[in-house]
Structure formats: structure tokens, C-alpha cells
């Protein structure tokens, strides 16, 4: 239960005993143990992003986070990767009981994880999938609009539209994601009935994220329309514009099929871009809200700013 009067008493606080109703989304190559622990220490829910990790590496990141914080944190497991089951088992073995699953069916692992005492939240990009998540017995759902960085839904539903579509249709806690970059946006989300928010891009642009320094600088330099949804015939992903994404755009304009796109993508592009810092040939996953990134704060500084902005937004409404 939230004892902090700053926030409304939403269902988020029934699930997670954090100071803020804010989740740092799992992010391949970007959210290791250091980021998850820093977010937890700053009062929000941090997630280790297992997507880019073999089970042994995931174990190391979980242990690192455990050595850096006493607060609870979770693990995000995108279910599309072949190691997903092993990643879940590894995290369970290491004592993790908070799971954010994504990119797969909520039916596959939820009952099993819950039988181990875990809290399970699944990411959905449509109201239909959110309802299936509820039917599958998850504890909460992340409703993710296509403004978001990383892989997202083919249906291109925006965060605000999704939230209005789902209104009053589900009983489990709703956490919205995609384009949340300020405390005012958090106030809007909560006013519209969300129980909490999940933020990726703004946490990718922090000191503790493992994004390459060149990628962080590219986030600061990004213009207002610097990202595009690409690879819809494979797995749709929002990317910062660069030579690689331009090659994909040209192929897509020429009606390239999934196999051709898969050849253009090749292997290891996401690591090349986000971790190794190849700004031209790498895949740079980031959300539309990157356009407001102007500096690379610590997680504590970012959360302080978000809460100050949230307070200001609340008082604007109260004074009107
Ligand atoms: C670099 C990056 C990598 C991501 N990787 C994952 C991932 O591995 N699993 C996942 O469920 N979501 C992933 N996401 C989505 C985030 O968890 C989060 O839902 C999203 O970033 C929220 O939207 P925002 O970027 O507008 O804040 C990723 C996002 C980014 C920016």
C-alpha cells in the first residue's frame, strides 16, 4: 500500500510496494542489473531486461542488482526468444518473484509462474490482447502504445487511444507505456484511469543504462520526428533513423518480403547499435519521446524531475 500522499492510491500499489507508480521497462541491451537497482533505489520498479541475455548472463545481472539494492526488482522476459523458459527458470532460481512478460502469449507461462508465488504482468498492444491477459490470470497488464521504443504492435494504436479503449473493461491493474516522458504525462495517465506507467526511453537515457555513450548522445541529438516503426512484416520495431533504418525503409517501399527483410536485418544488429555504439549500421531501438531528451541524468535525478513535474501538473489542475 502506498503511504506517500503524492500519488493517488491506485491498484499499482496493491501489486508493488514502491514509492512511485512507475516501472522502468525491460530493454534489450540497455537494462541490466545496474539500471534495475538504481531505479529500485530511487523508489520505482526496476526490471532487468532478459531479452538480450543468455541464462548465465541473466543470473549475473540479477546477482549484481541484488548486491546494489535491498529493494525488490523484477525481470522482463520477451517470450519470442528461444531461451525464454530457461530465463524464467533462472530468474525464479535466483529468487525473482516479479515478472513482466512480453511478445508472446500470456497463457504460456502465467499459471506456472503464479504457482511459484510470482506476480506476473504481461505487455499488450491492443485491448483484445489485454483482455486475453486478464483471462490468462495475470496480475496486471502493460498497455503499450506504438509511440514506444522497442518492438511493438502491428496495429499502431497510440497510448491515449488504447487507454480509452480499455476503460472500465478490465479489473486488473493497468500500467500504460509509450510516450510517457514527463510528470505531466504521468498525471494525464493517472487522471485517465491508469494505475501506473511504464517508461523505457527516458530510462535508456540515464547514467545507469548500459546504452553506449554514442547512442546516448544520439538520443540527445534526436529531432522531433527521428523514429519510425520498421520491419512490420517481421517483428515491428521503433527505430531511430540511421543508414540501417533507411535501408529498411527503401526495401519496404519496394515491397520487400519478410525473407528479404530478415536478410537485411541479419544477426546482432541490436547489440551493434545499442551496446557497441555503431550509429549507422546498428539497430537503435528508442521511442518517439526521445525528442525531449536533453541530458543524461541519474535515475534518481530523472525520478525527482518526474515527480516535481507531476506535482506542478496537479496544482495547475487544482488552481483552474
Ligand atoms: C532500447 C529499448 C529496448 C526495449 N526492449 C524491450 C524488451 O526487451 N522487452 C520489452 O517488453 N519491451 C522492451 N522495450 C519497451 C519498453 O519496455 C517500454 O515498454 C517502452 O520503452 C515504453 O515506451 P517509451 O519508450 O515511450 O517510454 C524496449 C524499449 C527500448 C527503448
Amino acid at each position: 500500500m502506498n503511504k506517500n500522499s503524492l500519488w493517488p492510491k491506485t491498484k499499482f500499489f496493491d501489486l508493488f510496494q514502491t514509492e512511485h507508480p512507475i516501472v522502468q521497462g525491460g530493454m534489450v541491451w540497455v537494462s541490466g542489473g545496474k539500471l534495475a537497482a538504481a531505479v529500485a533505489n530511487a523508489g520505482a520498479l526496476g526490471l532487468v531486461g532478459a531479452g538480450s541475455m543468455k541464462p548465465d548472463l541473466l543470473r549475473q545481472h540479477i546477482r549484481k542488482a541484488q548486491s546494489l539494492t535491498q529493494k525488490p526488482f523484477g525481470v522482463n522476459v520477451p517470450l519470442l526468444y528461444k531461451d525464454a523458459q530457461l530465463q524464467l527458470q533462472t530468474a525464479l532460481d535466483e529468487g525473482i518473484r516479479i515478472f513482466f512478460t512480453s511478445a508472446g502469449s500470456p497463457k504460456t507461462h502465467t499459471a506456472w509462474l503464479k504457482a511459484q508465488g510470482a506476480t506476473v504482468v504481461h505487455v499488450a498492444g491492443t485491448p483484445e490482447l489485454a483482455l486475453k491477459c486478464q483471462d490468462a490470470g495475470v496480475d496486471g497488464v502493460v498497455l503499450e502504445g506504438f509511440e514506444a521504443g522497442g518492438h511493438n504492435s502491428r496495429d499502431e494504436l497510440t497510448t491515449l487511444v488504447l487507454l480509452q479503449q480499455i476503460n472500465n473493461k478490465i479489473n486488473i491493474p493497468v500500467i500504460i507505456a509509450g510516450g510517457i516522458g514527463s510528470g505531466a504525462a504521468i498525471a494525464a495517465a493517472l487522471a485517465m484511469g491508469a494505475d501506473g506507467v511504464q517508461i523505457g526511453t527516458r530510462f535508456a537515457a540515464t547514467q545507469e543504462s548500459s546504452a553506449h555513450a554514442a547512442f546516448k548522445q544520439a538520443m540527445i541529438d534526436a529531432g522531433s520526428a527521428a523514429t519510425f516503426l520498421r520491419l512490420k512484416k517481421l517483428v515491428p520495431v521503433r527505430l531511430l533513423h540511421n543508414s540501417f533504418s533507411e535501408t529498411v525503409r527503401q526495401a519496404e517501399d519496394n515491397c520487400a518480403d519478410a525473407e528479404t527483410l530478415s536478410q537485411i536485418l541479419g544477426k546482432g544488429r541490436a547489440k551493434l547499435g545499442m551496446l557497441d555504439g555503431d550509429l549507422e549500421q546498428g539497430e537503435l531501438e528508442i521511442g518517439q519521446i526521445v525528442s525531449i531528451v536533453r541530458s543524461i541524468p541519474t535515475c534518481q535525478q530523472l525520478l525527482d524531475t518526474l515527480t516535481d513535474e507531476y506535482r506542478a501538473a496537479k496544482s495547475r489542475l487544482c488552481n483552474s
Side-chain angles (χ1 to χ4, degrees), residues 17-298:
Q17 283 68 55
T18 53
E19 200 181 317
H20 309 302
I22 300 173
V23 182
Q24 161 256 306
M27 294 179 278
V28 284
W29 301 113
V30 169
S31 62
K34 188 175 167 192
L35 181 64
V39 171
N41 286 333
L45 181 67
L47 301 180
V48 173
S52 45
M53 299 175 187
K54 295 273 177 221
D56 276 349
L57 185 61
L58 173 59
R59 183 176 292 108
Q60 286 172 35
H61 277 278
I62 291 172
R63 290 185 181 177
K64 177 165 193 173
Q66 285 164 339
S67 74
L68 294 173
T69 185
Q70 301 298 313
K71 306 251 178 82
F73 62 92
V75 169
N76 162 246
V77 179
L79 302 176
L80 80 169
Y81 299 117
K82 69 173 173 34
D83 280 339
Q85 170 78 42
L86 260 176
Q87 288 164 335
L88 292 167
Q89 187 60 62
T90 302
L92 278 170
D93 292 346
E94 294 299 315
I96 298 295
R97 290 297 179 271
I98 297 173
F99 289 91
F100 278 54
T101 52
S102 55
S105 169
K107 284 191 193 152
T108 323
H109 302 283
T110 299
W112 166 67
L113 287 170
K114 286 189 63 81
Q116 319 290 314
T119 298
V120 183
V121 175
H122 194 81
V123 181
T126 63
E128 290 77 15
L129 180 55
L131 288 168
K132 282 186 189 158
C133 289
Q134 176 167 266
D135 293 345
V138 302
D139 299 285
V141 66
V142 173
L143 266 186
E144 189 185 60
F146 97 123
E147 301 96 318
H151 293 140
N152 51 40
S153 164
R154 279 192 177 78
D155 296 296
E156 303 194 6
L157 293 169
T158 64
T159 306
L160 283 191
V161 167
L162 268 174
L163 188 53
Q164 291 167 92
Q165 287 175 333
I166 205 69
N167 230 351
N168 300 328
K169 292 204 183 96
I170 67 179
N171 306 316
I172 54 176
V174 172
I175 297 164
I176 65 158
I180 306 293
S182 67
I186 300 174
L190 297 179
M192 289 175 68
D195 294 291
V197 299
Q198 174 166 294
I199 295 177
T201 295
R202 296 285 327 252
F203 281 112
T206 58
Q207 298 284 332
E208 295 92 343
S209 103
S210 44
H212 191 280
F215 183 26
K216 289 183 186 174
Q217 186 59 45
M219 295 180 207
I220 293 174
D221 297 340
S224 58
T227 72
F228 299 91
L229 191 66
R230 300 277 186 235
L231 298 170
K232 276 183 77 172
K233 287 183 188 162
L234 285 178
V235 185
V237 60
R238 181 166 293 284
L239 297 177
L240 197 62
H241 181 73
N242 66 0
S243 302
F244 165 67
S245 81
E246 178 58 19
T247 304
V248 174
R249 183 191 69 77
Q250 287 175 11
E252 289 179 328
D253 284 355
N254 290 322
C255 302
D257 58 14
E259 201 187 316
T260 308
L261 292 172
S262 175
Q263 277 166 11
I264 293 172
L265 177 62
K267 294 243 179 289
R269 285 251 183 217
K271 175 176 181 288
L272 183 68
M274 294 188 278
L275 194 71
D276 301 341
D278 185 333
L279 296 186
E280 285 313 318
Q281 294 309 321
E283 209 185 5
L284 302 172
E285 299 184 16
I286 208 71
Q288 287 184 341
I289 201 67
V290 70
S291 51
I292 72 165
V293 170
R294 289 288 167 267
S295 62
I296 306 296
T298 63

